[in-house]
Amino acid sequence: MSAHFVYDERLGIRLPHLEKAWDMYTKEEQAEILLEWETIRGKIPDRIIELEQQINEKQRQLGEENDFNRSCMLNFEIAALASIINDLWIWYRMNQTVTNRIHQ
């Protein structure tokens, strides 16, 4: 685990945390960072599947819930999980931009 990444509690993955401009890293450092990012990025779909399973369970509970306050809480939790999934997809797609910058 390198110092170029920090764990994001909300997303459940490590995210890039670069302390200088990309061009200030050597080609070797850039390659190392990209390799580590690819490893992390490869785990994002599995993380999304986990969150989707949690959403499905909460939706199941919501379908059986009669208490209005609890229903509101479940809806809030579902929306929060969906927001995390959205952010994970953004990070997953970010790789294309970073990789293109290196090969220019």
Side-chain angles (χ1 to χ4, degrees), residues 19 24 42 48 52 54 61 65 92 94 98 102-103:
E19 296 181 358
M24 299 300 292
I48 289 171
E52 287 174 340
Q54 292 177 33
Q61 292 173 16
E65 188 59 60
Y92 185 77
M94 178 119 14
V98 172
I102 284 198
H103 295 294

Side-chain angles (χ1 to χ4, degrees), residues 58-66 74:
K58 290 184 184 301
Q59 287 176 327
R60 185 197 63 73
Q61 292 173 16
L62 184 59
E64 299 173 359
E65 188 59 60
N66 292 322
L74 286 167

Side-chain angles (χ1 to χ4, degrees), residues 44-93:
I44 290 176
D46 293 335
R47 176 74 177 128
I48 289 171
I49 289 170
E50 291 172 14
L51 295 168
E52 287 174 340
Q53 291 170 343
Q54 292 177 33
I55 287 174
N56 290 339
E57 175 57 24
K58 290 184 184 301
Q59 287 176 327
R60 185 197 63 73
Q61 292 173 16
L62 184 59
E64 299 173 359
E65 188 59 60
N66 292 322
D67 180 82
F68 178 74
N69 289 332
R70 177 70 181 138
S71 294
C72 290
M73 181 55 71
L74 286 167
N75 272 318
F76 175 80
E77 292 171 1
I78 290 168
L81 290 169
S83 174
I84 294 169
I85 289 172
N86 185 58
D87 289 350
L88 285 168
W89 278 123
I90 290 169
W91 278 104
Y92 185 77
R93 286 187 218 104

